[in-house]
Amino acid sequence: MLEVTNLGKSFGSAQALKQVSFKAQDGQILGLIGQNGAGKSTTFHSILNFIQFSGTISWNGQALTEKDYNIIGYLPEERSLMPKLTVQQQIRYLARLKGEQTADIDRQIPKWLERFAVKGDKKDKIKSLSKGNQQKIQLICTLLHQPKLIILDEPFSGLDPVNADLLKQAILEAKQAGATIIFSDHDMSNVEDLCDQILMLKQGKVVLTGDLQAVREQFGRNRLFVKTDWSTERLAALPHVIQVSLTRAGTYRLTLDAESAGPEIFAALTQGHYIQTFDQQPPTLDEIFRMKAGANDD
Amino acid sequence: MTKMGIVAGETYERQVKSWSFLILVLSPFFFILLSFGVGYLSANAGQAKNTIAVVANDSNLRREFIQSNTLQTTNKHATLAAAKQALQQKKIQGYLVLKTANNQIQVTYHGTKQLESSAKQALQQFVIQKQQLLNQQAANLTSRQVQQLNQLPQIQEKVEKEESTTNLAKLVSFWALLFLMYFILVTYTSTTAQEIASEKGTKIMEIIFSSTTARKYFYGKMLGVFGVIVTQIAIYLVGGFALYELAPHLAMTKTLFQQYRDLIDQVLKNFFSVNLLYVLLGVVIFTILAALSGALVTRPEDATKAAQPALYLVMLGFFGALTLNQQAGLLVVKILSYVPFLSSFFMPLRVIDGSVSGLAVLASLIILVLSIAGLTYYVGGIYSGLMLQTDNVGFWKSFKRGIKIR
């Protein structure tokens, strides 16, 4: 388990992180979200001991030190490999730095290349690969040594939906194997698909944390999806309805001023009418993110 | 293998297996062989055209003249007709006609260009000797009279050969050492600075620093480069030794080597001294400086600029030593021979001049070694900050920010 307590970091007069605390459990995925400059990468850099910080960071109750480097798998935000090396040389070099033996690495390379459907040979130079395939090689370098702590800084950026699914599958397999995984992403659907826990940072401070479903529930089930023959004007005239919009699927989306208004609206809609859909939901993570980030912060 | 060893091994392997290293190492041997080869071939090609045929009515005189090596002669074209034809066909420079008639030797030279004055002198000397012999025989002199007539004045020339060779050896040693060091320094500072700058530009450092500490990585990197430098110097030593052993036996170098044997031996003696250590340590300290300046660049396209600070210092040492090479006793030379970075240029100058004590050399070496150790430790400590600082703010600000990150 990774435990971060009162993490703080300043760059000159600018305070990048303020009293950030969270826990990431074994076999769970923690999504670190926040706007650009919120402090996500600084948090990762602190965990990886790239920078000095205040507070404590521990792994299974002990401070993370150099001896723990081999259990960490890190994918940085900016993609980077050595262009002049071959695929095999690159994977070998980085895996050996993680304590793997050359023979084991060579045995695993074909499996990983197949698993991520890399188009190219292990003898190909990195610079000859497409951007997407280079990213897959980097993912292989991150995961090959079966790390116990995986830190992924925007791992889906630049991946097409098919390759994003391959990565999601690999992340879920690592989770099944008991790894502690932290990842950041600006696409909230990825976070919702994968995460057990979320942590939202705003200007270096934690503004939201906890179990994903519980966090959503905190904001109340004030979104109502209705499929009916009522008109937009008639729906807007209902009590407690703030806003009405029509989705592409032909479903009305009603925003309520209170979760408790649901039964009253249900009764009104069903009086002598058949309705195909009545679904009361909490806000999506994307909506929560926008709410928390605040419109002025964009 | 330790992680430092893995980094060192990877750095070493990548550099040694590169074409640029192969070219760098082999180019001096290639140029030496090329210059000797071209010299030999052109000398051989010209030799035939520069020879002189000899035609004589006295075959003994002809044989004696050819065997005396007075001029560069050929045994071919012994008749007048053959010699004329050879001259027309430009196979020879000219021909000599030696005639003995009535106890007098007559010599006529026919050629496309005049005989050189030294050749004329040698020819004259040979002919006078032969004419004297004929005269003595004709005069029926006793052996005592002959001896008295042959009495020559004694002219002696005493040159302090050792002294003059030593001075020349000093000069040659210094120039050779200075240019070798400049050549290696420029190569390694540029290569190292550009490699570090490129690594920083590709942002791979974050992945590497999640596997090992920046300090260990930096030490490994420097160790790898050090291995490459040692390999290059070792190849030069082995190659140089092989050339030294082969040169006296090769046709193209035999004469030259015999002529300058003393000089070559003294130059080599000056090389295989503490000076070689100064070359090695000089390259090491400049490589560390180059790594530091490479780490201050933020964009891959600026990688070529990365070596500039280290190169300026190399040039300062090079031109300074070049200017002051005949003035090893100057106070400024003495001071600079203790200053790290510059001591590699100025102390060898004093060592070759023979005007420095062993204690002074030792003190200068200790300062240099401690500086290398101190600089390596310091750069190792701030390396992480420098490599992770990627804002394009220029050298100095980048340095200050890098220090603050850690």
Side-chain angles (χ1 to χ4, degrees):
Chain A
M1 181 183 71
L2 180 79
E3 187 169 5
V4 174
T5 313
N6 296 328
L7 180 64
K9 175 67 190 173
S10 297
F11 294 108
S13 57
Q15 205 166 359
L17 292 174
K18 300 165 199 165
Q19 304 289 305
V20 173
S21 298
F22 63 90
K23 286 178 188 174
Q25 305 286 348
D26 295 350
Q28 287 207 341
I29 302 173
L30 171 74
L32 189 56
I33 56 174
Q35 286 182 285
N36 295 327
K40 303 184 296 291
S41 292
T42 307
T43 303
F44 290 151
H45 288 180
S46 302
I47 296 168
L48 294 162
N49 204 23
F50 290 170
I51 53 175
Q52 287 180 333
F53 53 85
S54 61
T56 57
I57 297 172
S58 65
W59 172 252
N60 293 336
Q62 303 287 316
L64 261 173
T65 61
E66 194 189 334
K67 66 177 168 47
D68 299 309
Y69 282 162
N70 287 0
I71 61 146
I72 297 173
Y74 173 55
L75 182 78
E77 182 184 352
E78 291 189 66
R79 305 296 174 252
S80 48
L81 292 167
M82 295 162 144
K84 289 177 185 171
L85 297 191
T86 64
V87 168
Q88 186 175 39
Q89 285 170 335
Q90 180 68 90
I91 297 174
R92 257 192 205 164
Y93 179 44
L94 294 177
R96 285 180 71 207
L97 283 176
K98 289 291 183 189
E100 294 292 298
Q101 297 299 313
T102 309
D104 292 339
I105 301 163
D106 287 351
R107 210 169 25 247
Q108 290 194 63
I109 287 173
K111 284 187 247 170
W112 281 94
L113 292 179
E114 194 184 333
R115 182 173 177 183
F116 276 105
V118 176
K119 287 182 177 63
D121 189 73
K122 63 181 179 181
K123 301 283 181 195
D124 289 344
K125 287 261 166 78
I126 294 290
K127 63 183 173 190
S128 72
L129 300 179
S130 69
K131 201 177 163 188
N133 280 312
Q134 285 188 27
Q135 193 166 342
K136 289 178 188 176
I137 299 299
Q138 199 165 341
L139 286 165
I140 293 171
C141 294
T142 307
L143 301 171
L144 183 135
H145 62 289
Q146 294 174 315
K148 298 218 167 5
L149 174 60
I150 300 171
I151 298 170
L152 309 166
D153 201 349
E154 298 183 26
F156 296 101
S157 75
L159 287 182
D160 61 53
V162 176
N163 287 316
D165 281 346
L166 287 172
L167 175 59
K168 279 180 189 173
Q169 193 56 40
I171 292 173
L172 289 172
E173 280 175 28
K175 176 189 168 180
Q176 290 285 319
T180 302
I181 301 162
I182 309 174
F183 87 95
S184 69
D185 209 307
H186 288 299
D187 185 342
M188 294 305 130
S189 64
N190 287 330
V191 179
E192 279 186 301
D193 281 352
L194 291 168
C195 292
D196 302 295
Q197 306 276 324
I198 61 156
L199 178 84
M200 184 175 173
L201 294 177
K202 186 180 178 184
Q203 292 170 350
K205 282 197 292 194
V206 176
V207 290
L208 204 62
T209 183
D211 176 82
L212 178 62
Q213 201 50 39
V215 165
R216 286 182 66 195
E217 296 291 349
Q218 279 175 28
F219 288 84
R221 292 178 172 259
N222 56 0
R223 290 190 326 155
L224 188 60
F225 293 90
V226 176
K227 201 159 194 176
T228 174
D229 54 1
W230 282 34
S231 67
T232 306
E233 292 73 22
R234 207 173 156 199
L235 287 169
L238 284 167
H240 304 290
V241 174
I242 301 167
Q243 197 181 5
V244 179
S245 60
L246 188 61
T247 67
R248 279 188 182 177
T251 306
Y252 288 104
R253 189 183 125 160
L254 282 63
T255 306
L256 311 180
D257 62 5
E259 184 181 339
S260 56
E264 191 181 339
I265 291 170
F266 180 78
L269 284 170
T270 52
Q271 275 180 353
H273 291 90
Y274 167 72
I275 55 169
Q276 291 173 311
T277 304
F278 186 95
D279 185 10
Q280 196 171 353
Q281 290 275 345
T284 61
L285 192 58
D286 193 60
E287 288 165 326
I288 294 169
F289 182 89
R290 287 171 199 278
M291 257 188 276
K292 279 289 179 185
N296 292 335
D297 291 337
D298 281 332
Chain B
M1 194 186 273
T2 62
K3 291 185 179 182
M4 196 164 77
I6 294 169
V7 175
E10 201 276 337
T11 306
Y12 178 83
E13 199 180 315
R14 195 148 39 93
Q15 288 204 19
V16 167
K17 281 184 177 175
S18 68
W19 280 105
S20 58
F21 180 78
L22 199 68
I23 292 165
L24 178 73
V25 167
L26 296 182
S27 55
F29 296 110
F30 177 73
F31 285 118
I32 287 171
L33 290 175
L34 191 73
S35 54
F36 274 118
V38 167
Y40 180 72
L41 288 175
S42 59
N44 272 357
Q47 205 170 19
K49 287 182 180 177
N50 291 331
T51 52
I52 292 167
V54 183
V55 180
N57 56 353
D58 181 348
S59 59
N60 285 336
L61 182 67
R62 182 178 186 270
R63 193 179 62 247
E64 278 178 45
F65 183 75
I66 290 169
Q67 283 176 351
S68 69
N69 283 328
T70 306
L71 299 178
Q72 200 174 324
T73 53
T74 172
N75 204 20
K76 295 175 185 171
H77 324 299
T79 65
L80 190 63
K84 273 184 182 175
Q85 196 183 4
L87 183 64
Q88 274 176 353
Q89 290 172 351
K90 294 184 178 174
K91 286 181 180 171
I92 52 172
Q93 181 192 316
Y95 61 90
L96 275 179
V97 181
L98 302 174
K99 270 187 192 170
T100 315
N102 300 324
N103 277 337
Q104 192 184 25
I105 302 174
Q106 288 177 349
V107 183
T108 316
Y109 171 72
H110 303 264
T112 50
K113 59 179 183 182
Q114 280 193 331
L115 281 175
E116 284 176 14
S117 58
S118 57
K120 257 183 205 169
Q121 215 173 352
L123 176 64
Q124 220 163 11
Q125 207 177 347
F126 176 85
V127 178
I128 287 169
Q129 270 180 5
K130 290 293 161 194
Q131 185 63 57
Q132 270 181 348
L133 211 62
L134 285 176
N135 293 347
Q136 284 162 14
Q137 283 167 357
N140 279 326
L141 297 174
T142 63
S143 60
R144 186 181 165 78
Q145 285 169 322
V146 169
Q147 202 179 354
Q148 275 187 329
L149 274 174
N150 285 340
Q151 191 79 15
L152 291 170
Q154 259 195 343
I155 302 166
Q156 286 185 329
E157 193 180 16
K158 290 188 175 174
V159 179
E160 296 296 333
K161 194 184 171 196
E162 279 302 311
E163 179 72 17
S164 76
T165 311
T166 307
N167 284 338
L168 185 62
K170 279 181 187 176
L171 200 67
V172 173
S173 311
F174 174 74
W175 280 74
L177 193 78
L178 192 67
F179 276 92
L180 175 78
M181 193 151 74
Y182 183 74
F183 179 60
I184 297 178
L185 278 178
V186 167
T187 308
Y188 279 98
T189 46
S190 305
T191 310
T192 308
Q194 284 184 31
E195 188 178 319
I196 302 272
S198 302
E199 273 184 356
K200 186 176 176 179
T202 59
K203 311 277 192 292
I204 198 162
M205 299 320 297
E206 283 194 22
I207 301 176
I208 290 172
F209 291 166
S210 74
S211 305
T212 184
T213 62
R215 186 182 288 283
K216 279 187 181 172
Y217 178 76
F218 179 70
Y219 290 170
K221 197 94 195 154
M222 289 300 101
L223 204 64
V225 176
F226 182 71
V228 179
I229 297 166
V230 170
T231 304
Q232 185 178 355
I233 291 177
I235 292 171
Y236 283 172
L237 289 180
V238 172
F241 180 74
L243 279 179
Y244 182 79
E245 289 296 311
L246 278 174
H249 309 291
L250 294 176
M252 67 173 86
T253 52
K254 197 174 177 177
T255 319
L256 195 75
F257 194 82
Q258 278 165 356
Q259 198 177 350
Y260 296 109
R261 180 79 190 227
D262 287 349
L263 179 68
I264 291 166
D265 285 348
Q266 283 196 39
V267 169
L268 289 177
K269 199 177 146 194
N270 285 333
F271 252 86
F272 292 107
S273 63
V274 72
N275 290 336
L276 202 62
L277 196 59
Y278 270 102
V279 172
L280 187 67
L281 294 176
V283 179
V284 171
I285 197 165
F286 272 102
T287 304
I288 298 164
L289 183 70
L292 173 64
S293 48
L296 293 173
V297 167
T298 47
R299 295 180 304 177
E301 56 267 35
D302 288 340
T304 46
K305 291 183 197 167
Q308 279 176 357
L311 281 177
Y312 289 149
L313 201 56
V314 170
M315 280 194 268
L316 184 73
F318 176 74
F319 289 112
L322 208 62
T323 312
L324 300 170
N325 82 85
Q326 295 290 323
Q327 296 163 75
L330 278 183
L331 182 65
V332 65
V333 174
K334 287 180 182 171
I335 293 170
L336 292 175
S337 64
Y338 294 97
V339 177
F341 294 104
L342 298 178
S343 61
S344 294
F345 290 98
F346 288 93
M347 188 51 94
L349 189 156
R350 294 181 67 199
V351 171
I352 291 171
D353 187 62
S355 59
V356 64
S357 70
L359 200 66
V361 174
L362 185 69
S364 165
L365 272 177
I366 290 171
I367 293 171
L368 184 56
V369 170
L370 288 178
S371 303
I372 289 171
L375 188 66
T376 309
Y377 184 79
Y378 177 70
V379 178
I382 60 169
Y383 198 64
S384 160
L386 296 178
M387 293 300 275
L388 296 173
Q389 197 300 105
T390 52
D391 296 337
N392 188 19
V393 288
F395 261 53
W396 183 240
K397 275 192 176 173
S398 184
F399 181 65
K400 287 204 287 188
R401 282 196 189 180
I403 293 172
K404 279 181 187 168
I405 283 181
R406 280 296 303 174

